[in-house]
């Protein structure tokens, strides 16, 4: 009797799950396609059948995050004022960072991933659009620093092991409140 074969979509998901676990354990640059294949108990050729390279795997892992950012941008870019766009974008960013907490904890601050995203035109465009919405037109230096600090802080909270026990819904509530208060205190309105 022939061994059942998983559908390609299921196999892709298995590769992505295994890769994410290995990326978390070893970092993206130190994870090889062979390690992913070994984790799955398949040949490296089977992994190549699903993805052409480790970069393709890393981009596929972050794709749902960037799909959510793009959806958020379609909403916020229609808002009438820079302040509304910033407020809604930052709230949406908090929500999506927590929704993708596992991916965020692996990829945020990873220089290999940063370089990969910067050299991919689609992801770079989404990142540039998000930055533009968060900063608003002609941002002064304090606004640039405040937005950077807030973005890094939200990512840091989502990935901080000392608060990993905090339920996502509770952390979301706290971060949304703090984000709102921080923006009101630190970013001038025009």
């Amino acid at each position: 009797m022939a061994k059942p074969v998983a559908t390609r979509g299921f196999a892709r998901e298995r590769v992505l799950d295994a890769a994410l676990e290995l990326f978390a354990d070893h970092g993206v640059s130190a994870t090889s396609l062979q390690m992913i294949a070994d984790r799955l108990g398949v040949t490296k050729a089977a992994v190549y059948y699903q993805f052409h390279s480790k970069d393709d795997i890393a981009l596929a892992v972050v794709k749902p995050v960037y799909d959510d950012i793009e959806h958020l941008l379609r909403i916020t870019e229609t808002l009438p004022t820079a302040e509304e766009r910033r407020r809604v974008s930052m709230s949406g960013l908090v929500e999506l960072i927590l929704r993708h907490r596992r991916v965020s904890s692996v990829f945020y601050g990873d220089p290999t991933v940063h370089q990969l995203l910067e050299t991919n035109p689609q992801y770079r465009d989404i990142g540039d659009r998000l930055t533009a919405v968060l900063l608003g037109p002609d941002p002064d230096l304090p606004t640039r620093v405040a937005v950077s600090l807030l973005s890094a802080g939200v990512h840091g909270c989502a990935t901080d092991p000392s608060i990993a026990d905090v339920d996502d819904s509770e952390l979301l509530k706290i971060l949304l409140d703090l984000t709102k208060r921080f923006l009101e205190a630190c970013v001038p309105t025009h």
Side-chain angles (χ1 to χ4, degrees), residues 90 142-143 145-151 175-187:
M90 191 54 78
T143 298
V145 171
V147 167
S148 176
L149 177 66
L150 190 52
S151 297
L175 284 173
L176 288 173
D177 178 58
L178 291 173
T179 298
K180 178 182 175 194
R181 290 173 26 202
F182 184 86
L183 286 173
E184 288 171 353
C186 297
V187 179

Side-chain angles (χ1 to χ4, degrees), residues 34 46 50 62 72 93 99 116 122 128 161 167:
Q34 186 63 57
Q50 302 300 325
V62 298
L72 174 64
L93 187 60
R99 183 170 41 254
L116 184 60
Q122 177 187 5
D128 290 347
D167 179 69

Side-chain angles (χ1 to χ4, degrees), residues 33-106:
L33 286 174
Q34 186 63 57
M35 291 168 71
I36 295 168
D38 291 346
R39 175 68 57 103
L40 293 169
V42 300
T43 65
K44 195 159 79 168
V47 175
Y48 272 120
Y49 180 73
Q50 302 300 325
F51 296 95
H52 297 290
S53 68
K54 183 174 66 173
D55 288 353
D56 288 346
I57 295 171
L59 289 173
V61 170
V62 298
K63 184 177 183 337
V65 177
Y66 276 77
D67 288 347
D68 282 358
I69 294 170
E70 191 164 35
H71 177 74
L72 174 64
L73 287 168
R74 283 194 300 272
I75 294 167
T76 59
E77 288 172 338
T78 66
L79 297 173
T81 67
E83 289 78 18
E84 285 178 274
R85 289 188 293 274
R86 179 182 296 118
R87 181 182 48 78
V88 171
S89 292
M90 191 54 78
S91 295
L93 187 60
V94 169
E95 291 176 22
L96 77 87
I97 288 169
L98 290 179
R99 183 170 41 254
H100 300 285
R101 198 172 186 178
R102 184 173 174 219
V103 173
S104 294
S105 68
V106 173

